[in-house]
Amino acid sequence: MAATEKYSRTAIVLHWLIALLIIVNVGLALAWPYVADESVRPLIDNHKSIGITVLGLALLRLLWRFGHRPPAFPAGYAGWEKWSAHAVHWGLYLVMFMMPLSGWIMDSAWKDAATHPMYFWHMFEWPRIGFIMNLPPETKLKVHDIFGEMHELVAYLLYLLFFLHVAGALKHQFLDKEPEFQRMGIGR
Ligand code: HEM
């Protein structure tokens, strides 16, 4: 396979790192309803640090993408496969930003935010969004609920796009016998 048919090393590292962090973050969120109240705090705190890390990495990835064209799709892909793959990829970019941003806004509107500072990976205090923290309590409650709802709904969109993305990759790899995994750094 020619070097141009593969993603760049940076794109590959960012792809797998972000995928792993998102999977862990969804896993934490789905697990914490089953965890006792006194043990749940560290899970939520780590969820927030992972989410903010994803936001930073997603920004890097988008900037990298603008400067480095991804390899062209193999010639054998049908038109509908190309446009649907593009649509799913841009949908995933949208979700990579909307999940952390809705979480950060919800967290900034949390009524107890002032008394529960958020620490980024236990290293330093991560800022809440100041103007949201300073809203009147009733407005803050509404903002918290709206963005909490959005966080949940975008998670459903994430599950759908993730499913389509993985199903497409598996189809190309195993049914069409195209080196799809190799384009993203798995195998030669
Ligand atoms: C990659 C980024 C993120 C992903 C994939 C993610 C995913 C999720 C999921 C799947 C849920 C459960 C939704 C439900 O079904 O109820 C959740 C809940 C939550 N997330 Fe995130 N999240 C991300 C980033 C963040 C960030 C950056 C923060 C805050 C700074 C945050 C704060 C929360 C909180 C507080 C909840 C609990 C909401 C509630 O039940 O009241 N999340 N997240």
Side-chain angles (χ1 to χ4, degrees):
M1 187 168 51
T4 48
E5 290 171 356
K6 205 173 156 182
Y7 281 85
S8 66
R9 191 187 297 257
T10 306
I12 291 173
V13 170
L14 286 171
H15 174 272
W16 291 114
L17 190 57
I18 292 174
L20 180 73
L21 290 173
I22 289 182
I23 289 169
V24 172
N25 230 16
V26 169
L28 285 177
L30 298 183
W32 72 51
Y34 304 98
V35 174
D37 280 358
E38 57 278 14
S39 324
V40 80
R41 205 65 247 167
L43 300 192
I44 299 179
D45 290 345
N46 285 325
H47 177 90
K48 293 177 184 178
S49 289
I50 293 173
I52 295 296
T53 306
V54 167
L55 181 61
L57 292 174
L59 191 60
L60 260 179
R61 186 166 172 190
L62 190 64
L63 293 174
W64 185 264
R65 172 76 158 71
F66 286 139
H68 301 78
R69 278 182 78 82
F73 289 120
Y77 287 12
W80 70 267
E81 288 182 299
K82 291 183 191 166
W83 69 251
S84 55
H86 275 307
V88 169
H89 293 163
W90 285 109
L92 284 166
Y93 273 107
L94 187 71
V95 161
M96 278 188 280
F97 284 97
M98 282 188 76
M99 279 315 291
L101 285 174
S102 56
W104 190 12
I105 295 172
M106 162 181 41
D107 194 52
S108 302
W110 181 30
K111 63 178 176 29
D112 295 331
T115 50
H116 289 74
M118 176 196 154
Y119 288 96
F120 185 70
W121 295 113
H122 307 282
M123 288 187 298
F124 56 88
E125 190 177 335
W126 183 260
R128 262 42 181 259
I129 303 167
F131 84 92
I132 294 180
M133 276 185 90
N134 296 332
L135 291 170
E138 327 76 73
T139 319
K140 236 163 53 166
L141 191 63
K142 278 195 198 125
V143 172
H144 181 272
D145 290 352
I146 290 170
F147 282 87
E149 198 72 24
M150 184 188 287
H151 203 62
E152 190 178 337
L153 290 177
V154 179
Y156 291 123
L157 180 61
L158 166 67
Y159 305 150
L160 174 70
L161 292 171
F162 179 78
F163 170 79
L164 293 172
H165 185 62
V166 174
L170 292 174
K171 174 190 180 288
H172 292 142
Q173 184 75 22
F174 296 110
L175 296 183
D176 304 338
K177 307 269 187 262
E178 294 286 356
E180 193 65 46
F181 292 178
Q182 287 77 357
R183 280 158 65 83
M184 219 13 122
I186 299 182
R188 291 181 170 276

